[in-house]
Coordinates of all heavy atoms in Angstrom, one line a residue:
M1 N 0.8 -1.2 0.0 CA 0.0 0.0 0.0 C 0.9 1.3 0.0 O 0.6 2.2 -0.7 CB -0.9 0.0 1.2 CG -1.9 1.1 1.2 SD -3.5 0.7 2.0 CE -3.0 0.9 3.7
E2 N 1.9 1.2 0.8 CA 2.9 2.4 0.8 C 3.4 2.6 -0.6 O 3.5 3.7 -1.1 CB 4.0 2.1 1.8 CG 3.6 2.5 3.2 CD 4.7 2.1 4.2 OE1 5.9 2.1 3.8 OE2 4.4 1.9 5.4
T3 N 3.9 1.5 -1.2 CA 4.5 1.6 -2.5 C 3.5 2.0 -3.6 O 3.9 2.8 -4.4 CB 5.1 0.2 -2.9 OG1 5.9 -0.3 -1.8 CG2 6.0 0.3 -4.1
H4 N 2.4 1.4 -3.6 CA 1.5 1.5 -4.8 C 0.4 2.6 -4.6 O -0.1 3.1 -5.6 CB 0.8 0.2 -5.1 CG 1.8 -0.9 -5.5 ND1 2.7 -0.7 -6.5 CD2 2.0 -2.1 -5.0 CE1 3.4 -1.8 -6.6 NE2 3.0 -2.7 -5.7
C5 N 0.0 2.9 -3.4 CA -1.1 3.7 -3.2 C -0.8 5.0 -2.5 O -1.5 6.0 -2.8 CB -2.2 3.0 -2.4 SG -2.5 1.3 -2.9
Y6 N 0.1 5.0 -1.6 CA 0.3 6.2 -0.7 C 0.9 7.4 -1.5 O 0.8 8.6 -1.0 CB 1.2 5.9 0.5 CG 0.4 5.3 1.6 CD1 -0.9 4.9 1.5 CD2 1.1 5.0 2.8 CE1 -1.6 4.3 2.5 CE2 0.4 4.4 3.9 CZ -0.9 4.1 3.7 OH -1.6 3.5 4.8
L7 N 1.4 7.2 -2.7 CA 1.8 8.3 -3.5 C 0.7 9.3 -3.7 O 0.9 10.5 -3.6 CB 2.2 7.7 -4.9 CG 2.7 8.6 -6.0 CD1 4.0 9.2 -5.6 CD2 2.8 7.9 -7.3
C8 N -0.5 8.8 -3.9 CA -1.7 9.7 -4.0 C -2.5 9.7 -2.7 O -3.1 10.7 -2.3 CB -2.5 9.2 -5.2 SG -1.7 9.3 -6.7
H9 N -2.7 8.5 -2.1 CA -3.5 8.4 -0.9 C -2.8 8.5 0.4 O -2.9 7.6 1.3 CB -4.2 7.0 -0.9 CG -5.2 6.8 -2.0 ND1 -6.5 7.2 -2.0 CD2 -5.1 6.2 -3.2 CE1 -7.1 6.8 -3.1 NE2 -6.3 6.2 -3.9
S10 N -1.9 9.5 0.5 CA -1.1 9.6 1.6 C -1.9 9.8 2.9 O -2.9 10.5 2.9 CB -0.2 10.8 1.5 OG 0.4 11.1 2.8
P11 N -1.6 9.0 4.0 CA -2.4 9.1 5.2 C -2.0 10.4 5.9 O -2.8 10.8 6.8 CB -2.0 7.9 6.0 CG -0.6 7.6 5.5 CD -0.5 8.0 4.1
S12 N -0.9 11.0 5.6 CA -0.5 12.1 6.5 C -0.5 13.5 5.8 O -0.7 14.5 6.3 CB 0.9 11.9 7.1 OG 1.8 11.5 6.0
A13 N -0.2 13.5 4.4 CA 0.0 14.7 3.7 C -1.4 15.5 3.7 O -2.4 14.9 3.5 CB 0.5 14.5 2.3
E14 N -1.4 16.7 3.9 CA -2.5 17.6 3.7 C -2.7 17.8 2.2 O -1.8 17.7 1.4 CB -2.4 18.9 4.4 CG -2.2 18.8 5.9 CD -3.4 18.3 6.6 OE1 -4.6 18.6 6.1 OE2 -3.3 17.7 7.6
E15 N -3.9 18.2 1.8 CA -4.2 18.4 0.4 C -3.2 19.5 -0.2 O -2.7 19.4 -1.3 CB -5.6 18.9 0.2 CG -6.5 17.6 0.0 CD -7.9 18.0 -0.2 OE1 -8.2 18.9 -0.9 OE2 -8.8 17.2 0.3
K16 N -3.0 20.5 0.6 CA -2.1 21.6 0.1 C -0.6 21.1 0.0 O 0.1 21.7 -0.7 CB -2.2 22.8 0.9 CG -1.9 22.7 2.4 CD -2.1 24.0 3.1 CE -1.9 24.0 4.6 NZ -2.6 23.1 5.4
Q17 N -0.3 20.0 0.7 CA 1.1 19.5 0.5 C 1.1 18.4 -0.6 O 2.1 17.7 -0.7 CB 1.5 18.8 1.8 CG 1.6 19.8 3.0 CD 1.9 19.0 4.3 OE1 1.2 18.1 4.7 NE2 3.0 19.4 5.0
G18 N 0.1 18.3 -1.3 CA 0.2 17.4 -2.5 C -0.6 16.1 -2.4 O -0.6 15.3 -3.4
R19 N -1.4 15.9 -1.4 CA -2.2 14.7 -1.4 C -3.3 14.9 -2.5 O -4.0 15.9 -2.4 CB -2.9 14.4 -0.1 CG -3.8 13.2 -0.1 CD -4.2 12.8 1.3 NE -4.9 13.8 2.0 CZ -6.2 14.2 1.8 NH1 -6.9 13.6 0.8 NH2 -6.8 15.1 2.5
I20 N -3.4 14.0 -3.4 CA -4.4 14.2 -4.5 C -5.5 13.2 -4.5 O -6.2 13.1 -5.4 CB -3.6 14.2 -5.9 CG1 -3.0 12.8 -6.1 CG2 -2.6 15.3 -5.9 CD1 -3.0 12.5 -7.6
A21 N -5.6 12.4 -3.4 CA -6.7 11.5 -3.4 C -7.1 11.3 -1.9 O -6.3 11.7 -1.0 CB -6.2 10.1 -3.9
P22 N -8.3 10.9 -1.7 CA -8.8 10.8 -0.3 C -7.9 9.7 0.5 O -7.5 8.8 -0.1 CB -10.2 10.3 -0.4 CG -10.4 9.8 -1.8 CD -9.4 10.5 -2.6
P23 N -7.7 10.0 1.8 CA -6.9 9.0 2.6 C -7.7 7.7 2.7 O -8.9 7.7 2.6 CB -6.7 9.6 3.9 CG -7.7 10.7 4.0 CD -8.1 11.1 2.6
M24 N -7.0 6.6 2.8 CA -7.6 5.3 2.8 C -8.7 5.1 4.0 O -9.7 4.4 3.8 CB -6.6 4.2 3.0 CG -5.7 4.0 1.7 SD -6.7 3.7 0.2 CE -5.4 3.1 -0.9
V25 N -8.4 5.8 5.1 CA -9.4 5.8 6.2 C -10.8 6.3 5.7 O -11.8 5.8 6.1 CB -9.0 6.6 7.4 CG1 -8.2 5.7 8.3 CG2 -8.4 7.9 7.1
A26 N -10.7 7.3 4.8 CA -12.0 7.9 4.3 C -12.7 6.9 3.4 O -13.9 6.8 3.4 CB -11.7 9.2 3.6
I27 N -11.9 6.2 2.6 CA -12.5 5.2 1.7 C -13.1 4.1 2.5 O -14.2 3.6 2.2 CB -11.4 4.7 0.7 CG1 -10.9 5.8 -0.2 CG2 -11.9 3.5 -0.1 CD1 -9.8 5.5 -1.1
K28 N -12.4 3.7 3.5 CA -12.9 2.6 4.4 C -14.2 3.0 5.0 O -15.1 2.3 5.1 CB -11.8 2.4 5.4 CG -11.7 0.9 5.8 CD -10.5 0.7 6.8 CE -10.9 -0.4 7.8 NZ -9.8 -0.8 8.6
A29 N -14.2 4.2 5.5 CA -15.4 4.7 6.2 C -16.6 4.7 5.2 O -17.7 4.3 5.5 CB -15.2 6.1 6.7
R30 N -16.3 5.2 4.0 CA -17.4 5.2 3.0 C -17.9 3.8 2.6 O -19.1 3.6 2.5 CB -16.9 6.0 1.7 CG -17.9 6.1 0.6 CD -19.0 7.1 1.1 NE -20.0 7.3 0.1 CZ -21.0 6.5 -0.2 NH1 -21.1 5.3 0.4 NH2 -21.9 6.8 -1.1
Y31 N -17.0 2.9 2.4 CA -17.3 1.6 1.9 C -17.9 0.7 3.0 O -18.9 0.0 2.7 CB -16.1 0.9 1.3 CG -15.8 1.3 -0.1 CD1 -15.9 2.6 -0.6 CD2 -15.4 0.4 -1.1 CE1 -15.6 3.0 -1.9 CE2 -15.0 0.7 -2.4 CZ -15.2 2.0 -2.8 OH -14.9 2.4 -4.0
I32 N -17.4 0.8 4.2 CA -17.8 -0.1 5.2 C -18.9 0.5 6.1 O -19.9 -0.1 6.3 CB -16.6 -0.5 6.1 CG1 -15.6 -1.3 5.2 CG2 -17.0 -1.5 7.2 CD1 -14.2 -1.6 5.9
D33 N -18.7 1.7 6.6 CA -19.6 2.3 7.5 C -20.9 2.7 6.8 O -22.0 2.5 7.3 CB -19.1 3.5 8.3 CG -17.8 3.1 9.1 OD1 -17.7 1.9 9.4 OD2 -17.0 4.0 9.4
K34 N -20.7 3.3 5.6 CA -21.9 3.8 4.9 C -22.6 2.7 4.0 O -23.8 2.6 4.1 CB -21.6 5.0 4.0 CG -21.6 6.3 4.8 CD -22.0 7.4 3.9 CE -22.4 8.7 4.6 NZ -22.1 9.8 3.8
E35 N -21.8 2.0 3.2 CA -22.4 1.0 2.3 C -22.7 -0.3 3.1 O -23.5 -1.1 2.6 CB -21.4 0.7 1.2 CG -21.2 1.8 0.2 CD -22.5 2.2 -0.5 OE1 -23.3 1.4 -0.9 OE2 -22.7 3.4 -0.5
G36 N -22.0 -0.5 4.2 CA -22.2 -1.7 4.9 C -21.5 -3.0 4.3 O -22.0 -4.1 4.5
Y37 N -20.5 -2.8 3.5 CA -19.8 -3.9 2.9 C -19.2 -4.8 3.9 O -18.5 -4.4 4.8 CB -18.7 -3.4 1.9 CG -19.2 -2.8 0.6 CD1 -18.3 -1.9 0.0 CD2 -20.4 -3.0 0.1 CE1 -18.7 -1.3 -1.2 CE2 -20.8 -2.4 -1.1 CZ -20.0 -1.5 -1.7 OH -20.4 -0.9 -2.9
N38 N -19.4 -6.1 3.7 CA -18.6 -7.1 4.5 C -17.2 -7.3 3.9 O -16.9 -6.6 2.8 CB -19.4 -8.4 4.6 CG -19.6 -9.1 3.3 OD1 -18.8 -8.9 2.4 ND2 -20.6 -9.9 3.2
K39 N -16.4 -8.1 4.4 CA -15.0 -8.3 4.0 C -15.0 -8.6 2.5 O -14.2 -8.0 1.7 CB -14.3 -9.3 4.8 CG -12.8 -9.4 4.5 CD -12.1 -10.3 5.5 CE -10.7 -10.5 5.2 NZ -9.9 -11.2 6.2
A40 N -15.7 -9.6 2.1 CA -15.7 -10.1 0.7 C -16.2 -9.0 -0.3 O -15.6 -8.8 -1.3 CB -16.6 -11.3 0.5
E41 N -17.2 -8.3 0.1 CA -17.7 -7.2 -0.7 C -16.8 -6.0 -0.8 O -16.6 -5.4 -1.8 CB -19.1 -6.7 -0.1 CG -20.2 -7.6 -0.3 CD -21.4 -7.3 0.6 OE1 -21.3 -6.5 1.6 OE2 -22.5 -7.7 0.2
F42 N -16.1 -5.8 0.3 CA -15.1 -4.7 0.3 C -14.0 -5.0 -0.6 O -13.7 -4.2 -1.5 CB -14.6 -4.5 1.8 CG -13.6 -3.4 1.9 CD1 -14.0 -2.1 1.9 CD2 -12.2 -3.7 1.9 CE1 -13.0 -1.0 2.0 CE2 -11.3 -2.7 2.0 CZ -11.7 -1.3 2.0
I43 N -13.4 -6.2 -0.5 CA -12.3 -6.6 -1.4 C -12.7 -6.6 -2.8 O -12.1 -6.0 -3.7 CB -11.8 -7.9 -0.9 CG1 -11.2 -7.8 0.5 CG2 -10.7 -8.5 -1.9 CD1 -10.8 -9.2 1.1
E44 N -13.9 -7.1 -3.1 CA -14.4 -7.2 -4.5 C -14.6 -5.8 -5.1 O -14.2 -5.5 -6.2 CB -15.8 -7.9 -4.4 CG -16.1 -8.8 -5.6 CD -14.8 -9.4 -6.2 OE1 -14.2 -10.2 -5.6 OE2 -14.5 -9.1 -7.4
N45 N -15.1 -4.9 -4.3 CA -15.4 -3.5 -4.8 C -14.1 -2.7 -5.0 O -14.0 -2.0 -6.0 CB -16.4 -2.8 -3.9 CG -17.8 -3.2 -4.3 OD1 -18.4 -2.7 -5.2 ND2 -18.4 -4.2 -3.5
V46 N -13.2 -2.9 -4.1 CA -11.9 -2.2 -4.2 C -11.2 -2.7 -5.5 O -10.7 -1.9 -6.3 CB -11.0 -2.3 -3.0 CG1 -9.6 -1.8 -3.2 CG2 -11.6 -1.5 -1.8
K47 N -11.1 -4.0 -5.6 CA -10.5 -4.6 -6.8 C -11.1 -4.2 -8.1 O -10.4 -3.8 -9.0 CB -10.6 -6.1 -6.7 CG -9.4 -6.8 -6.0 CD -9.6 -8.2 -5.7 CE -9.7 -9.1 -6.9 NZ -10.0 -10.5 -6.5
A48 N -12.4 -4.2 -8.1 CA -13.2 -3.8 -9.3 C -12.9 -2.4 -9.7 O -12.7 -2.1 -10.9 CB -14.7 -4.1 -9.2
F49 N -12.9 -1.5 -8.7 CA -12.7 -0.1 -9.0 C -11.3 0.1 -9.5 O -11.1 0.8 -10.5 CB -13.0 0.7 -7.7 CG -12.8 2.2 -8.0 CD1 -13.8 2.9 -8.7 CD2 -11.6 2.9 -7.7 CE1 -13.6 4.3 -9.0 CE2 -11.4 4.2 -8.0 CZ -12.4 4.9 -8.6
V50 N -10.3 -0.4 -8.8 CA -8.9 -0.2 -9.1 C -8.6 -0.8 -10.5 O -7.9 -0.2 -11.3 CB -7.9 -0.8 -8.0 CG1 -6.5 -0.7 -8.5 CG2 -8.1 0.0 -6.7
A51 N -9.1 -1.9 -10.8 CA -8.9 -2.5 -12.1 C -9.4 -1.7 -13.3 O -8.8 -1.6 -14.3 CB -9.5 -3.9 -12.2
H52 N -10.5 -1.0 -13.0 CA -11.1 -0.2 -14.1 C -12.0 0.9 -13.4 O -13.2 0.7 -13.3 CB -11.9 -1.1 -15.0 CG -12.4 -0.4 -16.2 ND1 -11.6 0.1 -17.1 CD2 -13.7 -0.2 -16.6 CE1 -12.3 0.7 -18.1 NE2 -13.6 0.5 -17.8
P53 N -11.3 2.0 -13.0 CA -12.1 3.1 -12.4 C -13.1 3.7 -13.3 O -12.7 4.1 -14.4 CB -11.0 4.1 -11.9 CG -9.7 3.4 -12.1 CD -9.9 2.3 -13.1
T54 N -14.3 3.8 -12.9 CA -15.3 4.5 -13.7 C -16.1 5.4 -12.7 O -16.2 5.1 -11.5 CB -16.3 3.6 -14.4 OG1 -17.1 2.9 -13.4 CG2 -15.7 2.6 -15.3
K55 N -16.8 6.4 -13.3 CA -17.6 7.3 -12.5 C -18.8 6.5 -11.9 O -19.3 6.8 -10.8 CB -18.1 8.5 -13.3 CG -17.1 9.6 -13.4 CD -17.7 10.9 -13.8 CE -16.7 12.0 -13.6 NZ -16.7 13.0 -14.7
E56 N -19.3 5.5 -12.7 CA -20.4 4.8 -12.2 C -20.1 4.0 -11.0 O -20.9 3.8 -10.1 CB -20.9 3.8 -13.3 CG -21.6 4.5 -14.5 CD -20.6 5.3 -15.3 OE1 -19.5 4.9 -15.6 OE2 -21.0 6.5 -15.7
K57 N -18.8 3.4 -10.9 CA -18.4 2.6 -9.8 C -18.0 3.5 -8.6 O -18.1 3.1 -7.4 CB -17.3 1.7 -10.1 CG -17.7 0.4 -10.7 CD -16.5 -0.5 -11.0 CE -16.3 -0.7 -12.5 NZ -15.0 -1.2 -12.9
A58 N -17.6 4.7 -8.8 CA -17.0 5.5 -7.8 C -18.1 5.9 -6.7 O -19.2 6.3 -7.1 CB -16.4 6.8 -8.4
L59 N -17.7 5.8 -5.5 CA -18.6 6.2 -4.4 C -18.2 7.5 -3.7 O -18.9 8.1 -3.0 CB -18.7 5.1 -3.3 CG -19.2 3.7 -3.8 CD1 -19.1 2.7 -2.6 CD2 -20.6 3.9 -4.3
M60 N -16.9 7.8 -4.0 CA -16.4 9.0 -3.3 C -16.6 10.2 -4.3 O -15.7 10.8 -4.9 CB -14.8 8.9 -3.1 CG -14.4 7.6 -2.4 SD -14.9 7.5 -0.7 CE -13.7 8.8 0.0
Y61 N -17.9 10.6 -4.3 CA -18.3 11.6 -5.3 C -17.6 12.9 -5.1 O -17.2 13.6 -6.1 CB -19.8 11.9 -5.2 CG -20.7 10.6 -5.2 CD1 -21.4 10.3 -4.1 CD2 -20.7 9.8 -6.3 CE1 -22.2 9.1 -4.1 CE2 -21.5 8.7 -6.3 CZ -22.2 8.3 -5.2 OH -22.9 7.2 -5.2
G62 N -17.4 13.3 -3.9 CA -16.7 14.6 -3.6 C -15.3 14.6 -4.1 O -14.8 15.5 -4.7
A63 N -14.6 13.4 -3.9 CA -13.2 13.3 -4.4 C -13.1 13.3 -5.9 O -12.2 13.8 -6.5 CB -12.6 12.0 -3.8
V64 N -14.1 12.6 -6.5 CA -14.1 12.6 -8.0 C -14.2 14.0 -8.5 O -13.5 14.4 -9.5 CB -15.2 11.7 -8.5 CG1 -15.3 11.8 -10.0 CG2 -14.9 10.2 -8.1
K65 N -15.1 14.7 -7.9 CA -15.3 16.1 -8.3 C -14.1 17.0 -8.1 O -13.7 17.8 -9.0 CB -16.5 16.7 -7.5 CG -17.5 17.5 -8.3 CD -18.5 18.0 -7.4 CE -19.7 18.4 -8.2 NZ -20.9 18.8 -7.4
K66 N -13.4 16.8 -7.0 CA -12.3 17.6 -6.6 C -11.0 17.2 -7.4 O -10.3 18.1 -7.9 CB -12.1 17.5 -5.1 CG -11.5 18.8 -4.6 CD -11.0 18.7 -3.1 CE -12.0 18.4 -2.1 NZ -11.5 18.1 -0.8
H67 N -10.8 15.9 -7.4 CA -9.5 15.5 -7.9 C -9.6 14.8 -9.3 O -8.6 14.5 -9.9 CB -8.8 14.4 -7.0 CG -8.7 14.9 -5.6 ND1 -7.8 15.8 -5.2 CD2 -9.4 14.5 -4.5 CE1 -7.9 16.0 -3.9 NE2 -8.9 15.2 -3.4
G68 N -10.8 14.6 -9.8 CA -10.9 13.8 -11.0 C -10.9 12.3 -10.7 O -10.4 11.9 -9.6
L69 N -11.3 11.5 -11.6 CA -11.4 10.0 -11.4 C -10.0 9.5 -11.2 O -9.0 10.0 -11.8 CB -12.1 9.4 -12.6 CG -12.6 8.0 -12.5 CD1 -13.7 7.9 -11.4 CD2 -13.1 7.6 -13.8
M70 N -9.9 8.5 -10.3 CA -8.6 7.8 -10.2 C -8.1 7.2 -11.5 O -8.9 6.6 -12.2 CB -8.7 6.6 -9.2 CG -7.4 5.8 -9.0 SD -7.5 4.8 -7.5 CE -6.6 3.4 -8.1
P71 N -6.9 7.5 -11.9 CA -6.4 7.0 -13.2 C -6.2 5.5 -13.2 O -5.9 4.9 -12.1 CB -5.0 7.7 -13.4 CG -4.6 8.1 -12.0 CD -5.8 8.3 -11.2
K72 N -6.5 4.9 -14.3 CA -6.3 3.4 -14.4 C -4.8 3.1 -14.4 O -4.1 3.7 -15.1 CB -7.0 2.9 -15.7 CG -6.9 1.4 -15.9 CD -7.8 1.1 -17.1 CE -7.5 -0.3 -17.7 NZ -7.5 -1.4 -16.8
Q73 N -4.4 2.2 -13.5 CA -3.0 1.9 -13.4 C -2.9 0.4 -13.3 O -3.8 -0.3 -12.9 CB -2.4 2.5 -12.1 CG -2.5 4.0 -12.1 CD -2.5 4.5 -10.6 OE1 -1.4 4.7 -10.1 NE2 -3.6 4.7 -10.0
V74 N -1.7 -0.1 -13.7 CA -1.5 -1.6 -13.6 C -0.7 -1.9 -12.3 O 0.4 -1.3 -12.2 CB -0.9 -2.1 -14.8 CG1 -0.6 -3.6 -14.7 CG2 -1.8 -1.9 -16.0
F75 N -1.2 -2.7 -11.5 CA -0.4 -3.1 -10.3 C -0.1 -4.5 -10.4 O -0.8 -5.3 -11.1 CB -1.3 -2.8 -9.0 CG -1.6 -1.3 -8.8 CD1 -2.9 -0.8 -9.1 CD2 -0.6 -0.4 -8.4 CE1 -3.2 0.5 -8.9 CE2 -0.9 0.9 -8.2 CZ -2.2 1.4 -8.5
P76 N 1.0 -4.9 -9.7 CA 1.4 -6.4 -9.7 C 0.2 -7.3 -9.4 O -0.6 -7.0 -8.5 CB 2.5 -6.5 -8.7 CG 3.0 -5.1 -8.5 CD 1.9 -4.2 -8.8
E77 N 0.2 -8.4 -10.1 CA -0.8 -9.4 -9.9 C -1.0 -9.7 -8.4 O -0.1 -10.0 -7.7 CB -0.3 -10.7 -10.6 CG -1.2 -11.9 -10.5 CD -2.2 -12.0 -11.7 OE1 -1.7 -11.8 -12.8 OE2 -3.3 -12.3 -11.4
G78 N -2.3 -9.7 -8.0 CA -2.6 -10.1 -6.6 C -2.4 -9.0 -5.6 O -2.8 -9.1 -4.4
S79 N -1.7 -7.9 -5.9 CA -1.3 -6.9 -4.9 C -2.5 -6.1 -4.4 O -2.6 -5.8 -3.2 CB -0.2 -6.0 -5.4 OG -0.7 -5.3 -6.5
V80 N -3.5 -5.9 -5.3 CA -4.6 -5.1 -4.9 C -5.5 -5.9 -3.9 O -6.0 -5.3 -2.9 CB -5.4 -4.6 -6.1 CG1 -6.7 -3.8 -5.6 CG2 -4.6 -3.6 -7.0
E81 N -5.6 -7.1 -4.2 CA -6.4 -8.0 -3.3 C -5.7 -8.0 -1.9 O -6.4 -7.9 -0.8 CB -6.5 -9.4 -3.8 CG -7.2 -10.4 -2.8 CD -7.9 -11.5 -3.5 OE1 -7.7 -11.7 -4.8 OE2 -8.6 -12.2 -2.8
K82 N -4.4 -8.1 -1.8 CA -3.7 -8.1 -0.5 C -3.9 -6.8 0.2 O -4.1 -6.7 1.4 CB -2.2 -8.3 -0.8 CG -1.9 -9.8 -0.9 CD -0.4 -10.0 -0.9 CE 0.1 -11.2 -1.7 NZ 1.4 -11.0 -2.3
I83 N -3.8 -5.7 -0.6 CA -4.0 -4.4 0.0 C -5.4 -4.2 0.5 O -5.6 -3.7 1.6 CB -3.6 -3.3 -1.1 CG1 -2.1 -3.3 -1.4 CG2 -4.1 -1.9 -0.6 CD1 -1.7 -2.5 -2.6
A84 N -6.4 -4.6 -0.2 CA -7.8 -4.5 0.2 C -8.0 -5.3 1.5 O -8.7 -4.9 2.4 CB -8.7 -4.9 -0.9
T85 N -7.4 -6.5 1.5 CA -7.6 -7.3 2.7 C -6.9 -6.6 3.9 O -7.5 -6.6 5.0 CB -6.9 -8.7 2.5 OG1 -7.4 -9.2 1.3 CG2 -7.1 -9.6 3.6
F86 N -5.8 -6.1 3.7 CA -5.1 -5.3 4.8 C -5.9 -4.2 5.2 O -6.1 -3.9 6.4 CB -3.7 -4.9 4.3 CG -3.0 -4.0 5.3 CD1 -2.2 -4.6 6.2 CD2 -3.0 -2.6 5.2 CE1 -1.5 -3.8 7.2 CE2 -2.4 -1.8 6.1 CZ -1.6 -2.4 7.1
M87 N -6.5 -3.4 4.3 CA -7.3 -2.3 4.6 C -8.5 -2.7 5.5 O -8.8 -2.0 6.4 CB -7.8 -1.6 3.4 CG -6.8 -0.7 2.6 SD -7.5 -0.2 1.0 CE -8.7 1.1 1.6
F88 N -9.1 -3.8 5.1 CA -10.3 -4.3 5.9 C -9.9 -4.7 7.3 O -10.6 -4.4 8.2 CB -11.0 -5.4 5.1 CG -12.3 -5.7 5.7 CD1 -13.5 -5.1 5.3 CD2 -12.4 -6.6 6.8 CE1 -14.7 -5.3 5.8 CE2 -13.7 -6.9 7.3 CZ -14.8 -6.2 6.9
D89 N -8.8 -5.5 7.4 CA -8.5 -6.2 8.6 C -7.8 -5.3 9.7 O -7.9 -5.5 10.8 CB -7.5 -7.3 8.3 CG -8.2 -8.5 7.7 OD1 -9.5 -8.6 7.8 OD2 -7.5 -9.4 7.2
Y90 N -7.1 -4.2 9.2 CA -6.4 -3.4 10.1 C -6.8 -2.0 10.2 O -7.4 -1.5 9.2 CB -4.9 -3.5 9.8 CG -4.2 -4.8 10.0 CD1 -4.3 -5.7 8.9 CD2 -3.7 -5.2 11.2 CE1 -3.7 -7.0 9.1 CE2 -3.2 -6.5 11.4 CZ -3.2 -7.4 10.3 OH -2.7 -8.6 10.5
Q91 N -6.6 -1.4 11.4 CA -6.9 0.0 11.5 C -5.8 0.7 10.8 O -4.6 0.5 11.1 CB -6.9 0.3 13.0 CG -7.7 1.6 13.2 CD -8.1 1.7 14.7 OE1 -7.5 1.0 15.6 NE2 -9.0 2.6 15.0
I92 N -6.1 1.6 9.8 CA -5.1 2.2 9.0 C -5.1 3.7 9.2 O -6.0 4.3 9.7 CB -5.3 1.9 7.5 CG1 -6.7 2.1 7.1 CG2 -4.8 0.5 7.2 CD1 -6.9 2.1 5.6
Ligands
HEC1 C1 -2.1 8.4 -9.3 C2 -2.8 8.6 -8.0 C3 -3.4 7.4 -7.4 C4 -2.8 6.2 -7.0 C5 -1.4 5.8 -7.1 C6 -3.9 5.4 -6.4 N1 -5.1 6.1 -6.4 FE1 -6.9 5.5 -5.6 N2 -7.7 7.2 -6.1 C7 -7.1 8.3 -6.7 C8 -8.0 9.4 -6.8 C9 -7.7 10.8 -7.4 C10 -9.2 9.0 -6.2 C11 -10.5 9.9 -5.9 C12 -11.4 9.9 -7.1 C13 -12.1 8.7 -7.3 O1 -12.8 8.2 -6.4 O2 -11.9 8.1 -8.4 C14 -9.0 7.6 -5.8 C15 -10.0 6.8 -5.2 C16 -9.8 5.5 -4.8 C17 -10.8 4.7 -4.3 C18 -12.3 5.1 -4.0 C19 -13.1 5.0 -5.3 C20 -14.5 5.5 -5.2 O3 -14.7 6.7 -5.5 O4 -15.4 4.7 -4.7 C21 -10.3 3.4 -4.0 C22 -11.0 2.2 -3.5 C23 -8.9 3.5 -4.4 N3 -8.6 4.8 -4.9 C24 -8.0 2.5 -4.2 C25 -6.6 2.6 -4.5 C26 -5.7 1.6 -4.2 C27 -6.0 0.3 -3.5 C28 -4.4 2.0 -4.7 C29 -3.1 1.3 -4.6 C30 -3.1 0.0 -5.2 C31 -4.7 3.4 -5.3 N4 -6.0 3.7 -5.1 C32 -3.7 4.1 -5.9 C33 -5.8 8.3 -7.1 C34 -4.8 7.3 -7.0

């Protein structure tokens, strides 16, 4: 997550210091607290979004408006699933 995601989803940088995406805690809150996703749903939805980000799939409407849609990127095989599992299981 540090290598692949924190470049944009930095947990500490303020927006004015260059953070260009919502912090992962905010994504977690949106997906789990608001949508009520369980672990399998959370992982599935994060994977689906990262594999092919679209406005239809995006739930972080404010972030999409402010920063634009997350660019489609290629991450090493299996890494997004591991990252999503980590995000779900641990307090980040
Ligand atoms: C090049 C910058 C960049 C990188 C690197 C990046 N993201 Fe994003 N991401 C964004 C931006 C910008 C948004 C907010 C706009 C949006 O939701 O599309 C976002 C939003 C998201 C969302 C919420 C989507 C929604 O709106 O429901 C998820 C989930 C996500 N990113 C996962 C990841 C994961 C996992 C990684 C690392 C494997 C990652 N991102 C790496 C820029 C990035």
